[in-house]
Amino acid sequence: MLTYITRRVLYSIPVIFVASFLLFAFVRATFDPTAHLRASRTAAEAIKSERKRLNLDKPTVVQYSDWLKKFVRGDWGTSERTHERVFAMIRRSLWVTTQLIFWGVLVSALLAIAMGVYSAVRQYSALDYTLTGLSFVALAMPPFWFGLIAIQFLSADLKNVFHLQEPLFYSIGLHKPGVTGLNVDYLRHLALPVMTLTVQIVAGWGRYQRAAMLDVMSADYVRTARAKGVPRRRVIFKHALRNALIPLVTVMALDIGVLFGGLIITETIFSIPGMGRLFFDSLLRGDATVLVSWTVVTALFIVLFNLLADVAYGWLDPRIRFS
Amino acid sequence: MSAGDEFRHRTSEEDGLFLGGEPVGVDVAVEQGVGPVELIPDAIADVELAHTAEPVPRTQWQLFRRRFFRHRMAVISGVVLVGLYVACFSAKWWVPFDPNKQNLLLGPVSPRASHWFGTDELGRDQFARIVYAGQISLKIGLAVALISTVVGAVLGAIAGFFGKVTDQFLMRITDLFLVVPAIAILAIALRRFGHSDTTIILVLAGLFWMYIARIVRGQVLSIKEKEFVEAARAAGGSAPRIIGRHIIPNVVGPIVVNATLAVATAIITESTLSFLGFGVQPPRTSWGNMLSTAEGYVGTSNAYLLYFPGLAILLTVLAVNFLGDGLRDAFDPQGGRQ
């Protein structure tokens, strides 16, 4: 197991370096951090000194290694948009995004497992067909559209129909101004974004779980268990489900890694100040310092969770480890 | 990989879907002419057996067609898609409204007989706008799928066929492309390279090719080891001949299926980017940036502006996915379906 993990980790390291270098070079080449100086009368002079200060006159590789040294120390520079330290901005946004991911993944995983097991055990039943149909629709729906529809129906219409003072589910932020902590206000804010996130995840996971479960249910050891008289319930949940969860766990890990940089839509629609919203605002203003660190951090999460997926797979399924 | 981010690429290796079709074991048996054997009286046994035992010869293409047409949803979806493309691209001959013609006196009106999908704040007919916007959305979807499929299939085939260093090199590049945050990089790239249709197509294709490359590589690797390829090689077949006669025909299925599914992913991705304001720019309209405008009307009495562009995307992507599913089953009746 240790050699397996070591091998995977060793492989990830060059991927991280090459990917972060390419992202760095790409973002730096796209945005000109001296653009705001161009309007001034002494533009040429000011741009030159600013480029020197930011090391932009050096080759990209040198710039990258300077940037990397600072990045590792937590010195990620200052935002050109808010003049705040980038490290603090990203840390704050990450915490918000992590909350969304946590609730979204929790709800999705429970639903997906329930759907998958039911659909596999009662294959071709009416509910199985219904779930399949719904999955098709969910997979074909642009996630942002679902978010907007949810706001329309569950926030605005609900409020109007019942003549409420305040909407039952909010569509802005994670708290009312001045409120913090885990409370009803938090849940009322969380409901719609988590629902939007769940709809886009759960269809894929549910299909996956169904396929895995069907696979396992026809395995020899399950038939043996049935044949020797193990109760059906026990066969399904103890013998079959345990093995059928292995592929889902890896898919979940892969998908979670992507979510850290993938909630741009959800957070933009619901005005949640997480990583996605930070990206959106920074891109609109061409805030290169934030974008460089943002892309590298989100890529790191993807690599990290890819690694976790591999490790989890090897750990849960010895057949992988030893092959 | 299956779901999770706002930018997903479904591949044929994923979720076995099964709408519209009976369990697969039966069709295979019937097709191969080993269907239910009847008991036949002795007297005519010889004649009859000679008759039943000889399977009707069918070409691969005929088998493919039979299996595809049995998949009802896929056939309907194919028709719907062709209809959508034809309807959108022939719009100027049949749509009664000019999509950009403003009618400020009329203003926004909800759907009615004169304006099927209503009009927007400038009095522009929504139905006409959706049909014309479809030209851009559908064009981008199809072009991205075609380009990324060609690039991905060629690179994947090269990696799989030549193996060794070439394979290592190409697959490491694929890995690099797979760890970047997709939507973010697409948005930055579009900001850098501009927002013309061609740029959008090329940029999207630039981040779509890895999926098909991986699949084709895997297929080629496994086919390369099959006995019939070994036999061809032993018989003195050259590399181009082996690739052309033996490998390509065997990977056409996965390539076509994934190209189809890529159309769906491309349409959703384009609409997402346009919705955020990073894709197709006004005054040009795609379904995505129509929704971007409609976002301002959520919670107002003009919320109808929100429904139709989204439904257009939903309908198209749903049809593409069903079609892809039907094609998968037709190409590979044993796999993919549970």
Side-chain angles (χ1 to χ4, degrees), chain B:
Chain B
M1 207 173 124
S2 130
D5 49 334
E6 284 150 348
F7 169 81
R8 283 178 332 96
H9 193 104
R10 282 179 68 220
T11 65
S12 70
E13 283 168 2
E14 273 172 39
D15 42 26
L17 303 157
F18 63 92
L19 269 197
E22 55 269 48
V24 83
V26 184
D27 341 349
V28 176
V30 174
E31 271 156 20
Q32 289 168 349
V34 291
V37 178
E38 290 165 41
L39 289 174
I40 299 151
D42 278 345
I44 53 166
D46 286 346
V47 189
E48 284 285 328
L49 267 181
H51 216 65
T52 43
E54 199 168 324
V56 187
R58 288 207 184 88
T59 62
Q60 281 294 318
W61 171 238
Q62 283 172 322
L63 286 175
F64 169 82
R65 237 177 19 200
R66 269 172 60 106
R67 286 192 297 255
F68 180 74
F69 280 108
R70 197 151 41 209
H71 210 295
R72 232 174 310 127
M73 285 307 283
V75 178
I76 296 171
S77 298
V79 175
V80 168
L81 274 179
V82 172
L84 273 172
Y85 271 88
V86 172
C88 286
F89 285 95
S90 64
K92 67 175 176 205
W93 290 293
W94 66 275
V95 175
F97 293 97
D98 176 346
N100 295 315
K101 179 103 189 324
Q102 300 183 4
N103 187 346
L104 295 171
L105 289 176
L106 181 65
V109 297
S110 53
R112 59 192 62 191
S114 56
H115 294 281
W116 290 356
F117 292 176
T119 59
D120 65 6
E121 71 281 18
L122 300 173
R124 296 176 295 191
D125 182 66
Q126 280 300 98
F127 180 76
R129 288 181 71 70
I130 284 180
V131 175
Y132 279 92
Q135 293 183 355
I136 294 180
S137 297
L138 293 175
K139 179 176 84 179
I140 291 176
L142 193 62
V144 169
L146 286 177
I147 295 175
S148 61
T149 301
V150 170
V151 173
V154 169
L155 289 180
I158 291 174
F161 191 76
F162 293 105
K164 299 193 188 108
V165 186
T166 326
D167 182 31
Q168 280 293 319
F169 178 69
L170 286 173
M171 284 303 112
R172 293 300 82 83
I173 293 182
T174 316
D175 285 351
L176 281 177
F177 272 84
L178 287 168
V179 302
V180 301
I183 286 281
I185 293 306
L186 289 170
I188 296 176
L190 288 176
R191 169 151 175 150
R192 176 167 181 188
F193 299 118
H195 303 93
S196 76
D197 292 358
T198 318
T199 325
I200 293 176
I201 289 167
L202 291 178
V203 166
L204 285 187
L207 228 56
F208 269 55
W209 60 272
M210 307 84 71
Y211 305 94
I212 193 106
R214 283 198 151 184
I215 290 162
V216 170
R217 169 184 175 266
Q219 288 282 325
V220 171
L221 273 180
S222 79
I223 292 166
K224 205 171 69 170
E225 304 302 322
K226 292 268 163 67
E227 285 84 353
F228 62 83
V229 172
E230 211 174 309
R233 202 172 281 139
S238 62
R241 188 184 159 81
I242 291 174
I243 295 177
R245 294 279 305 171
H246 300 288
I247 296 189
I248 290 179
N250 279 297
V251 293
V252 163
I255 291 178
V256 170
V257 172
N258 284 288
T260 313
L261 297 178
V263 175
T265 319
I267 288 176
I268 293 212
T269 310
E270 179 275 317
S271 71
T272 303
L273 287 165
S274 300
F275 172 74
L276 287 170
F278 304 134
V280 176
Q281 301 291 313
R284 294 172 64 66
T285 41
S286 78
W287 292 333
N289 71 18
M290 287 185 76
L291 284 168
S292 184
T293 318
E295 189 190 5
Y297 294 95
V298 171
T300 71
S301 57
N302 295 334
Y304 61 87
L305 290 171
L306 182 64
Y307 303 140
F308 299 107
L311 286 174
I313 300 175
L314 181 66
L315 176 70
T316 313
V317 174
L318 206 54
V320 171
N321 284 345
F322 276 128
L323 181 66
D325 232 41
L327 288 172
R328 169 178 32 218
D329 289 349
F331 275 117
D332 181 18
Q334 268 106 345
R337 228 206 283 188
Q338 283 283 352

Side-chain angles (χ1 to χ4, degrees), chain A residues 249-321:
Chain A
V249 168
T250 51
V251 169
M252 279 170 62
L254 291 174
D255 286 348
I256 293 170
V258 176
L259 285 177
F260 283 95
L263 291 179
I264 301 173
I265 291 282
T266 317
E267 291 178 357
T268 307
I269 295 177
F270 293 100
S271 313
I272 295 168
M275 288 294 275
R277 183 79 208 189
L278 178 64
F279 172 83
F280 183 78
D281 293 339
S282 303
L283 182 59
L284 282 185
R285 299 287 293 272
D287 192 344
T289 317
V290 173
L291 291 175
V292 169
S293 298
W294 191 95
T295 48
V296 172
V297 168
T298 46
L300 276 177
F301 271 102
I302 298 178
V303 175
L304 181 71
F305 276 84
N306 280 359
L307 190 67
L308 276 180
D310 283 342
V311 172
Y313 204 30
W315 179 54
L316 295 170
D317 192 344
R319 285 168 298 185
I320 301 297
R321 218 185 304 161

